[in-house]
Amino acid sequence: MLKNRDEITQQYKWNLNDVYPNWTAWENDLTTLKGYMSEIPKYQGKISQNSNIFIEFVNLEEKISRLLDKVYLYPYLQRDLDSTNETASVKLQEVEGIYANYSIASSWITPEILTIPKETMISWINDNPVLEANRFPLMEIYRLQEHVLSADKEKLLSYFGQYLGVPSDIYSELSTSDIKWNEIELTDGSKTFVTNGVYSKIISTDRNQEDRKKAFEALYNSFNVNKNTYASIYKSILQRDFSTAQSRNYKSSLEKALNPNNIPLDVYTSLIESTRENTAPLKRYIALRKKALDLKSYHYYDNSINIVDYNKEFTYEEAKDTVLESVKPLGTDYYRDLNTALSEGWLDVYETPNKRSGAYSLNIYDVHPYMLLNYNGTMDSVFTLAHELGHTMHSMLSTKNQPYSISSYTIFVAEVASTFNERLLLDNMLKNTNDSKEKIALIEQAIGGIVGTYYIQTLFADYEYQAHQIVENGGAITSDVLNNIMSNLFTEYFGNDLTMDELQKIIWARIPHFYNSPYYVYQYATSFASSANLYNRITNPEYSLDEREQAKKAYLTLLKSGGNDHPMNQLKKAGVDLSKKDAFDAVAIEFNRLLDLLEEELKKEKGDI
């Protein structure tokens, strides 16, 4: 049952006073920010004159960026805690409006930087150590020069900046603020409204398939009732993506999404190809689960329930201790910093009315990371805590070791630390249990990570690719078209043992990443593959102790590197080359290994199945 925020003690809630003590302090910084922003146009036509003026300008830009992080995220975080918070919504829109105007007023910057010859810029950096922190981002401007327009065209495009975010805003309101949750009665006679969090708990703990079906139908009908509106929103996002890609001389939305981080297009297509070629273990797993659960028909809502009756609940305090213990192999410094990350005020733990669903870790360079959870006591929630703490550690280590200008790591490597932490947790929990049911549940948790983080995210990436191509080839987008793509993909990836429910096809309407950050989800899969390879190099006894120690140092160096290089290069330095297809094929090999272990444990517990 959902608690109201005032029923939860402060130790389990964010302390946003670390950002601002009140709205008055926020208003003061907003005024300061406006003042800084008003200085930027004064530099137009001057930054190419000499290095001293350019350095002044760069320092001012950084002041604006760092202050904007705080001023924007303070209302943003408050709104995530309560989507009906009118004050936070108004303030957030105010900042967005100010930034939109600033984008227009500063649209000349990149074109003017490009009037400075690259050789001159390099000499300025070499002669002025204060510019060294900006070497990589400045050189990126020159690499991407063909996609920068003239100053007048950049200004014209900047007028549309705020408008381009409207489809995502509409989706957020429809799927969070205005969504109507449906009530169900479970077989034990209890009644509940099926929110995202409630749904997650029912399908992962309720062993009655009819209850899981009711929860599934209740949740998906909350989205299906507005399917045509969701399809219309998504169509506008697809059209926006292609229009902005073309306006910047890209051939496709995918190229525009990948090129800023210098990711080759064939990394995306190789991921999909490799996964499609390696669906056999996924189909094997579904067939095994169907038989072990003794189900006449197997549905997607049966995918989260443990094969064995294992519904152990973990208090949040138990989860914290378990996760903390699991990271000891990464050394005392990592352990100490993760303990700091568990400080009161950094995490907002429990689901409350109108709180954003899911989980995330968000960093404020001059404050600290904030983690949002919707903790419900399941094993999955324990792993989610480990996952988000991985992101937080990545942010903390990057902030400690990199200047602001290159402290933010790319999305492409963002899921490496999070999935690495999950693997540490798994191994630690397996080592510390003699309960065969718990071992089976843990192996399934690991397999669930492969299915959910690798296969499902690649399926979603496949979906995005197909949907974008339809628009880019002049095709129509409707709810039926999107349903059809999803239906075909689930059949191709999961096989015929999965019964495809009509409502399951609407899953595209409830994946926020499709609407908020297109072409994001494939990076879960690439990061998972990278993490799996790194974990093997660090823990596999087939490697010598010295090799494993060097691999650990390389991994921690990756976490400390922020955005100081292209992500493919960062991963190569750590020992993973995603340009080679076998980096992805390795996931299927690990999947089959875990399936063999699962079958062995099931024989001990259940006999032949």
Side-chain angles (χ1 to χ4, degrees):
M1 189 167 183
L2 286 185
K3 287 185 177 181
N4 291 317
R5 291 197 65 77
D6 57 9
E7 297 177 292
I8 298 171
T9 57
Q10 185 56 48
Q11 70 186 98
Y12 301 116
K13 296 188 286 190
W14 280 339
N15 179 12
L16 295 180
N17 289 340
D18 291 349
V19 189
Y20 291 108
N22 49 50
W23 283 113
T24 301
W26 179 86
E27 291 281 0
N28 290 338
D29 261 5
L30 183 65
T31 300
T32 303
L33 178 65
K34 290 177 184 176
Y36 287 157
M37 286 178 169
S38 68
E39 295 292 314
I40 287 291
K42 298 176 184 178
Y43 285 89
Q44 187 168 2
K46 298 178 181 177
I47 62 173
S48 60
Q49 291 178 5
N50 60 65
S51 60
N52 290 333
I53 293 175
F54 186 73
I55 289 169
E56 278 181 23
F57 168 75
V58 167
N59 287 337
L60 178 59
E61 265 204 312
E62 180 170 316
K63 283 182 183 177
I64 290 170
S65 184
R66 290 171 77 153
L67 196 54
L68 181 63
D69 284 350
K70 293 177 64 181
V71 167
Y72 176 77
L73 289 172
Y74 185 65
Y76 179 93
L77 292 168
Q78 294 210 32
R79 194 175 183 281
D80 276 359
L81 296 179
D82 181 2
S83 64
T84 65
N85 184 330
E86 186 71 14
T87 300
S89 295
V90 169
K91 302 285 189 187
L92 187 60
Q93 289 182 47
E94 184 181 357
V95 180
E96 288 171 345
I98 291 167
Y99 182 71
N101 291 330
Y102 172 70
S103 296
I104 295 167
S106 60
S107 59
W108 57 271
I109 293 173
T110 301
E112 189 163 324
I113 288 175
L114 288 171
T115 67
I116 305 168
K118 185 177 179 181
E119 295 73 20
T120 300
M121 182 62 74
I122 291 172
S123 70
W124 284 2
I125 296 170
N126 290 340
D127 294 340
N128 298 277
V130 70
L131 286 176
E132 183 59 39
N134 292 277
R135 182 186 293 272
F136 180 69
L138 286 171
M139 291 301 100
E140 282 295 274
I141 291 174
Y142 290 94
R143 181 179 71 83
L144 298 167
Q145 185 167 359
E146 66 179 295
H147 304 295
V148 177
L149 309 180
S150 60
D152 59 334
K153 290 179 180 177
E154 287 288 349
K155 185 173 184 179
L156 179 63
L157 283 182
S158 70
Y159 284 115
F160 294 90
Q162 192 171 12
Y163 171 76
L164 293 176
V166 169
S168 300
D169 292 341
I170 296 172
Y171 173 79
S172 179
E173 295 294 347
L174 185 64
S175 63
T176 306
S177 302
D178 293 338
I179 198 164
K180 305 299 181 189
W181 303 118
N182 296 305
E183 188 178 30
I184 61 170
E185 182 175 342
L186 300 171
T187 51
D188 64 4
S190 63
K191 293 183 178 180
T192 183
F193 283 94
V194 182
T195 64
N196 285 301
V198 170
Y199 171 72
S200 175
K201 186 159 188 177
I202 289 174
I203 65 166
S204 62
T205 62
D206 195 319
R207 302 201 66 77
N208 186 299
Q209 189 185 38
E210 187 60 29
D211 282 348
R212 298 197 297 273
K213 179 183 178 182
K214 284 180 181 179
F216 164 77
E217 290 177 346
L219 184 83
Y220 278 67
N221 270 318
S222 291
F223 289 89
N224 194 55
V225 69
N226 292 314
K227 65 179 180 181
N228 294 320
T229 304
Y230 284 117
S232 181
I233 295 168
Y234 192 55
K235 178 180 70 175
S236 70
I237 285 171
L238 297 172
Q239 291 170 335
R240 176 202 67 189
D241 290 350
F242 190 40
S243 297
T244 54
Q246 289 176 298
S247 70
R248 294 201 171 278
N249 304 314
Y250 288 105
K251 295 175 185 175
S252 67
S253 304
L254 180 62
E255 185 184 13
K256 182 180 180 297
L258 269 57
N259 194 38
N261 287 326
N262 206 23
I263 308 296
L265 289 176
D266 59 8
V267 169
Y268 196 97
T269 53
S270 290
L271 168 67
I272 292 174
E273 274 177 38
S274 174
T275 309
R276 281 175 171 264
E277 289 169 8
N278 286 291
T279 58
L282 179 58
K283 291 169 182 172
R284 175 188 169 194
Y285 182 49
I286 299 302
L288 173 65
R289 284 180 58 80
K290 182 180 180 181
K291 188 174 181 182
L293 290 166
D294 193 25
L295 297 175
K296 291 181 180 178
S297 61
Y298 187 93
H299 302 258
Y300 193 63
Y301 51 78
D302 297 320
N303 228 32
S304 298
I305 194 74
N306 286 317
I307 290 176
V308 292
D309 189 0
Y310 179 85
N311 288 331
K312 180 178 177 180
E313 293 221 1
F314 300 81
T315 67
Y316 177 64
E317 299 303 326
E318 288 173 333
K320 283 202 308 183
D321 291 343
T322 305
V323 172
L324 189 59
E325 178 68 22
S326 72
V327 302
K328 284 184 175 178
L330 289 178
T332 54
D333 288 348
Y334 191 95
Y335 178 90
R336 182 198 64 234
D337 286 345
L338 191 130
N339 195 30
T340 300
L342 285 164
S343 301
E344 290 180 19
W346 290 36
L347 293 114
D348 201 87
V349 178
Y350 299 110
E351 184 179 22
T352 52
N354 301 309
K355 181 179 173 181
R356 176 171 169 163
S357 63
Y360 65 67
S361 173
L362 186 155
N363 188 43
I364 303 177
Y365 187 86
D366 291 310
V367 186
H368 57 69
Y370 281 92
M371 288 162 279
L372 180 138
L373 303 175
N374 282 278
Y375 189 84
N376 62 14
T378 61
M379 179 185 283
D380 189 59
S381 271
V382 182
F383 277 81
T384 298
L385 175 62
H387 182 103
E388 297 309 331
L389 282 165
H391 288 308
T392 292
M393 287 300 300
H394 197 168
S395 297
M396 288 175 71
L397 290 171
S398 292
T399 296
K400 279 185 178 182
N401 292 279
Q402 300 297 333
Y404 177 81
S405 57
I406 51 173
S407 63
S408 296
Y409 49 85
T410 63
I411 295 169
F412 193 79
V413 296
E415 299 300 333
V416 172
S418 55
T419 52
F420 196 101
N421 266 21
E422 287 191 63
R423 186 68 183 272
L424 284 171
L425 177 62
L426 172 77
D427 281 1
N428 186 65
M429 290 182 76
L430 278 172
K431 183 179 71 176
N432 289 304
T433 183
N434 293 315
D435 183 340
S436 62
K437 284 187 177 180
E438 186 165 64
K439 282 185 179 178
I440 291 169
L442 285 164
I443 294 168
E444 281 214 273
Q445 182 72 33
I447 292 174
I450 294 176
V451 174
T453 310
Y454 185 81
Y455 281 91
I456 289 291
Q457 301 307 328
T458 304
L459 183 154
F460 287 162
D462 206 337
Y463 159 82
E464 284 194 278
Y465 187 52
Q466 291 186 42
H468 277 86
Q469 282 193 315
I470 289 172
V471 165
E472 291 170 18
N473 291 325
I477 293 293
T478 66
S479 60
D480 286 343
V481 168
L482 300 176
N483 280 356
N484 192 49
I485 296 174
M486 275 299 181
S487 179
N488 291 336
L489 284 172
F490 269 92
T491 300
E492 288 171 24
Y493 280 65
F494 282 81
N496 294 325
D497 277 309
L498 178 72
T499 299
M500 190 67 190
D501 294 284
E502 190 63 30
L503 278 173
Q504 175 61 28
K505 299 173 185 177
I506 196 72
I507 192 172
W508 52 266
R510 61 175 298 252
I511 307 300
H513 284 316
F514 294 161
Y515 300 84
N516 299 329
S517 43
Y519 283 130
Y520 179 106
V521 295
Y522 87 97
Q523 294 162 118
Y524 282 111
T526 54
S527 288
F528 187 88
S530 301
S531 178
N533 280 279
L534 289 167
Y535 195 86
N536 182 55
R537 290 165 56 84
I538 292 170
T539 63
N540 193 331
E542 291 180 7
Y543 294 101
S544 70
L545 187 61
D546 184 60
E547 286 174 322
R548 281 178 277 154
E549 191 61 30
Q550 290 303 313
K552 182 170 76 174
K553 286 181 181 177
Y555 171 64
L556 292 173
T557 298
L558 169 67
L559 301 190
K560 295 172 183 176
S561 62
N564 67 3
D565 199 351
H566 297 126
M568 289 280 286
N569 290 341
Q570 290 176 318
L571 287 170
K572 278 183 182 178
K573 291 173 191 174
V576 180
D577 187 354
L578 289 180
S579 66
K580 296 179 179 176
K581 200 173 171 187
D582 60 4
F584 301 121
D585 294 344
V587 176
I589 295 170
E590 172 64 6
F591 198 169
N592 275 317
R593 184 187 75 82
L594 287 169
L595 283 172
D596 291 342
L597 286 176
L598 180 60
E599 287 179 343
E600 285 178 26
E601 291 297 329
L602 283 172
K603 283 178 183 175
K604 295 176 190 174
E605 183 70 20
K606 291 189 161 195
D608 282 335
I609 56 169

